[in-house]
Amino acid sequence: AKMENHTRMSEFILVGFQSQPGSQVLLSALFSTMYVVTVVGNACMLLIIRRDPNLHTPMYFFLENLSTLDICYSSVITPRAALAFLLGRRSISYTGCASQMFFFSLFGTTEAFFLAVMAYDRFTAICNPLLYQVIMSRRLCVLMVMGSYLSGCINCTIQTGFTFSLSFCGHREINHFFCEVAAVIHASCSDTLVNELVMLAVCGPIIVGTALVVFVSYGYITITIIQMPSAESRHKAFSTCSSHMMTICLFFGTVFFMYAQPGAASSPSKSNTISIFYTIVIPMLNPFIYTLRNREVKGALKKQLKRF
């Protein structure tokens, strides 16, 4: 009895999206399908970029890293959630929950920095085309990627460390389908004011800072495109920018709602549906929005298909 009680006390119960058994199977099928599309889509982009020498440029270097990141990001959450819906096993160990939160925060924060880096890359290419190769050197590109991951490591260490320093008692129910920071904080029986302030103080500047870089970069890009003499060039550039901005607005809009406003942890039940967008939907859409609408990638894809 003591062993069973100890086991229960070392586990959390994820209660997000509880509904009828038939709906749970449907959710499992939906999550599984989206995960397969995410992995296949991003893996195809990796293969295309690596096999075509014409795509070995800074832009596609960042896209290659984004695809790798999206596979890891989605893999942290989606497979386990789909399995939990299918089997009805919603318990997760204390260590498993901490690990999931750590890697979710790591990849989520890194993706925000990646979007800022990619916006700066496009700003340099369109607004300073003559200096593009000089500015966006291989060394700078690698440093930007490493800096993005380092920033993600710092944030996830702080968030996970502060969250799991709290006390958890009772049924330990987390009103979410994965160990999301705000939902786990809300499940604690400790005073969470400090944690909410830390989340706001750390996540707020990250989200606002990266979003500011993105929107300022695209602001200058828009001005430059308007001044282009060729209508075809303007149409092509605007088409690319509109696709990028759609994903950027979706990502930063949902993340800002979750982490960059006071009281974000006070209503975790509202975050279940919103979280699907930046944890599952966006990683699935990125290969299509960022690459498959690109003529160079389409050309490289046709070459690979002809080889087969």
Side-chain angles (χ1 to χ4, degrees):
K2 289 183 178 180
M3 181 65 69
E4 183 180 354
N5 184 59
H6 174 74
T7 301
R8 289 178 178 177
M9 290 301 293
S10 62
E11 291 183 342
F12 294 99
I13 306 298
L14 301 172
V15 298
F17 289 127
Q18 280 192 334
S19 57
Q20 298 298 322
S23 300
Q24 296 292 292
V25 174
L26 182 61
L27 278 173
S28 177
L30 178 62
F31 274 46
S32 299
T33 302
M34 295 173 76
Y35 178 67
V36 170
V37 173
T38 299
V39 173
V40 172
N42 283 286
C44 286
M45 290 305 98
L46 285 170
L47 181 64
I48 293 169
I49 293 172
R50 290 181 180 179
R51 290 178 65 91
D52 195 317
N54 295 325
L55 301 182
H56 294 173
T57 63
M59 173 183 174
Y60 295 104
F61 172 74
F62 293 130
L63 287 173
E64 183 180 6
N65 280 275
L66 181 66
S67 293
T68 303
L69 179 68
D70 281 339
I71 292 174
C72 297
Y73 190 25
S74 184
S75 297
V76 171
I77 297 167
T78 315
R80 194 193 184 286
L83 192 63
F85 292 141
L86 181 63
L87 302 179
R89 298 176 183 175
R90 293 177 171 268
S91 62
I92 183 170
S93 67
Y94 186 91
T95 304
C97 188
S99 300
Q100 189 181 58
M101 180 184 294
F102 181 89
F103 287 107
F104 156 71
S105 300
L106 169 63
F107 296 131
T109 305
T110 304
E111 176 134 352
F113 279 96
F114 267 17
L115 293 176
V117 167
M118 292 169 67
Y120 176 74
D121 172 71
R122 290 298 84 205
F123 160 76
T124 307
I126 295 175
C127 300
N128 297 290
L130 298 178
L131 298 175
Y132 178 68
Q133 294 297 334
V134 177
I135 296 174
M136 300 303 296
S137 64
R138 180 72 177 182
R139 181 174 179 272
L140 179 61
C141 292
V142 172
L143 287 175
M144 284 181 168
V145 171
M146 292 176 62
S148 298
Y149 275 105
L150 177 61
S151 301
C153 283
I154 293 172
N155 180 50
C156 69
T157 301
I158 293 173
Q159 295 296 340
T160 307
F162 269 86
T163 300
F164 283 89
S165 65
L166 296 170
S167 298
F168 298 93
C169 42
H171 296 292
R172 296 189 173 207
E173 291 185 348
I174 298 175
N175 190 9
H176 220 295
F177 62 93
F178 69 97
C179 288
E180 189 266 341
V181 180
V184 176
I185 290 175
H186 189 72
S188 172
C189 53
S190 304
D191 183 5
T192 62
L193 177 60
V194 173
N195 292 74
E196 293 188 38
L197 292 176
V198 168
M199 185 171 67
L200 181 62
V202 176
C203 295
I206 291 174
I207 297 169
V208 174
T210 52
L212 189 62
V213 171
V214 168
F215 290 116
V216 169
S217 297
Y218 275 104
Y220 280 106
I221 289 172
T222 302
I223 295 173
T224 303
I225 291 173
I226 292 173
Q227 296 174 350
M228 289 180 177
S230 171
E232 183 180 354
S233 299
R234 289 196 300 269
H235 176 74
K236 179 181 177 181
F238 268 124
S239 177
T240 303
C241 289
S242 63
S243 300
H244 291 188
M245 287 300 295
M246 180 177 66
T247 300
I248 287 168
C249 290
L250 186 61
F251 179 85
F252 282 106
T254 53
V255 171
F256 182 86
F257 177 84
M258 291 292 300
Y259 301 107
Q261 59 173 331
S266 62
S267 56
S269 60
K270 297 180 181 179
S271 69
N272 282 273
T273 304
I274 296 173
S275 297
I276 293 178
F277 285 97
Y278 64 87
T279 58
I280 302 175
V281 175
I282 293 176
M284 180 184 68
L285 293 179
N286 276 342
F288 302 96
I289 293 177
Y290 279 99
T291 55
L292 291 181
R293 294 192 57 166
N294 186 294
R295 290 182 181 179
E296 293 177 342
V297 176
K298 286 182 178 179
L301 179 59
K302 289 179 181 179
K303 290 180 182 179
Q304 296 301 323
L305 293 175
K306 286 181 179 179
R307 289 181 182 178
F308 286 103

